Amino acid sequence: MPKSTEPRASASKAAGTRRATRAVGTPPVTVAAKGRRPAAAPVLDPDTTTDAPGDDSADIEARIYQAVFDSVMSQRLKPGTKLPEAPLCELFQVSRSVVRKVLQKLAHDHIVQLRPNRGAIVAVPTREETRQIFEARRTLEAAVVRLVAERATARDLKGLREQLRAEHEAMHRFDQPAWARLASAYHLRLAELSGNEILQRYLAEIVSRCSLIVAVHQPPGNAACEHDEHERIVDCIAQGDAESAVKLMDQHLRDLEEHLMLESPGDEKSLAKLLGLG
């Protein structure tokens, strides 16, 4: 009588079931070779590392950008000043890739010039650029002033008067950086009050480029903008006299352009001091 094959078949079937269950539900375990050490993590080049995912790189980039931008606006950073990558990395504790990204954005906004194999410098506007920049600025600010004369509220005017008082105080204590910053801030505040974000963005770029021009040409200690002219423009806006405000602004900008000198002496300071960090 032949032997029964039922037990063998059952055992084979159970083994197959176990293999199928292991393949579907449980990943195989890999056992490292005995005595072999795990591979070491590769050493990364600091110049090519990126910031950790937890870091807010956008905030870091914005902080570096704003430090350079504000220093240009206040004329601490003069046109032609070198902006070497290594000191910027050390000052802000970031990688070169972050610094390069910020410098590229500053170059896009015409605040910095990137020179192949020679690094970045604060932009140096040419005479033709100067002419075109002031021409564009007069057109933009005429549109801004008209809109502000139409839309400014009593609260807006009060804020402008307070800003003018701060400007006046800086002028009388001979604080040239604060004076220059507040004079530019006055024009930018008018752009905000126009309610037109496109005009505001374009004027911000133009004003920063004008600050570079003034830093090159304006005699040390002289006002980039005349305080009394700012006050008269606000007076016209308060009266709703848009045409007079536009004419005053146009003349104000023409006077600024005409009074610029061809050259002004520069002085050597550390990059940290120029950026207001030292």
Side-chain angles (χ1 to χ4, degrees):
M1 182 176 179
K3 294 181 180 180
S4 171
T5 58
E6 278 189 3
R8 186 177 299 173
S10 297
S12 177
K13 184 176 181 181
T17 301
R18 284 196 298 272
R19 283 196 299 271
T21 302
R22 185 165 58 243
V24 173
T26 308
V29 178
T30 303
V31 180
K34 189 173 182 180
R36 183 179 298 171
R37 295 180 180 178
V43 177
L44 300 178
D45 183 350
D47 286 358
T48 60
T49 55
T50 56
D51 296 298
D55 292 341
D56 192 343
S57 59
D59 283 350
I60 295 170
E61 291 164 15
R63 185 161 57 90
I64 301 170
Y65 182 101
Q66 201 63 42
V68 176
F69 181 86
D70 290 345
S71 298
V72 168
M73 294 289 281
S74 63
Q75 298 176 22
R76 286 195 306 269
L77 272 178
K78 302 289 185 182
T81 302
K82 292 181 180 179
L83 296 171
E85 291 178 4
L88 286 170
C89 292
E90 186 176 348
L91 284 169
F92 293 97
Q93 294 296 295
V94 294
S95 64
R96 283 185 185 263
S97 62
V98 172
V99 167
R100 286 170 183 162
K101 188 174 179 181
V102 175
L103 290 175
Q104 285 169 359
K105 187 176 188 312
L106 287 162
H108 178 269
D109 294 341
H110 307 283
I111 296 166
V112 160
Q113 290 175 352
L114 299 179
R115 306 171 302 168
N117 303 319
R118 291 189 296 163
I121 62 170
V122 178
V124 183
T126 65
R127 290 188 183 184
E128 179 58 20
E129 284 176 322
T130 297
R131 186 191 67 76
Q132 292 183 11
I133 286 167
F134 272 96
E135 186 176 68
R137 182 169 176 177
R138 287 194 299 272
T139 302
L140 283 174
E141 296 225 42
V144 163
V145 167
R146 280 196 178 90
L147 289 172
V148 177
E150 292 173 5
R151 300 174 178 177
T153 65
R155 184 177 180 180
D156 294 335
L157 291 168
K158 182 181 178 183
L160 279 173
R161 301 285 188 194
E162 289 173 357
Q163 196 162 334
L164 287 173
R165 277 195 292 273
E167 185 181 307
H168 189 261
E169 289 170 5
M171 181 177 66
H172 280 277
R173 68 174 181 265
F174 301 102
D175 186 346
Q176 179 71 13
W179 189 357
R181 185 183 69 253
L182 288 165
S184 295
Y186 164 82
H187 291 271
L188 295 176
R189 180 57 182 154
L190 288 177
E192 288 177 20
L193 295 179
S194 75
N196 188 309
E197 292 183 1
I198 306 300
L199 282 175
Q200 184 181 343
R201 186 164 69 246
Y202 284 145
L203 189 62
E205 179 186 329
I206 292 287
V207 168
S208 67
R209 297 181 74 179
C210 280
S211 295
L212 289 169
I213 295 165
V214 170
V216 171
H217 302 301
Q218 188 74 25
N222 281 24
C225 283
E226 291 295 335
H227 176 75
D228 291 345
E229 293 172 5
H230 284 182
E231 283 190 317
R232 289 199 294 274
I233 291 167
V234 173
D235 289 339
C236 290
I237 289 171
Q239 295 163 13
D241 188 352
E243 290 308 312
S244 294
V246 168
K247 287 179 183 177
L248 283 171
M249 181 63 81
D250 185 84
Q251 191 58 51
H252 171 60
L253 295 173
R254 288 181 188 277
D255 289 343
L256 172 59
E257 184 179 3
E258 289 172 5
H259 291 159
L260 295 176
M261 290 176 60
L262 293 178
E263 293 182 11
S264 65
D267 55 350
E268 291 293 327
K269 291 184 181 179
S270 72
L271 184 58
K273 286 184 177 179
L274 292 172
L275 289 169
L277 301 174

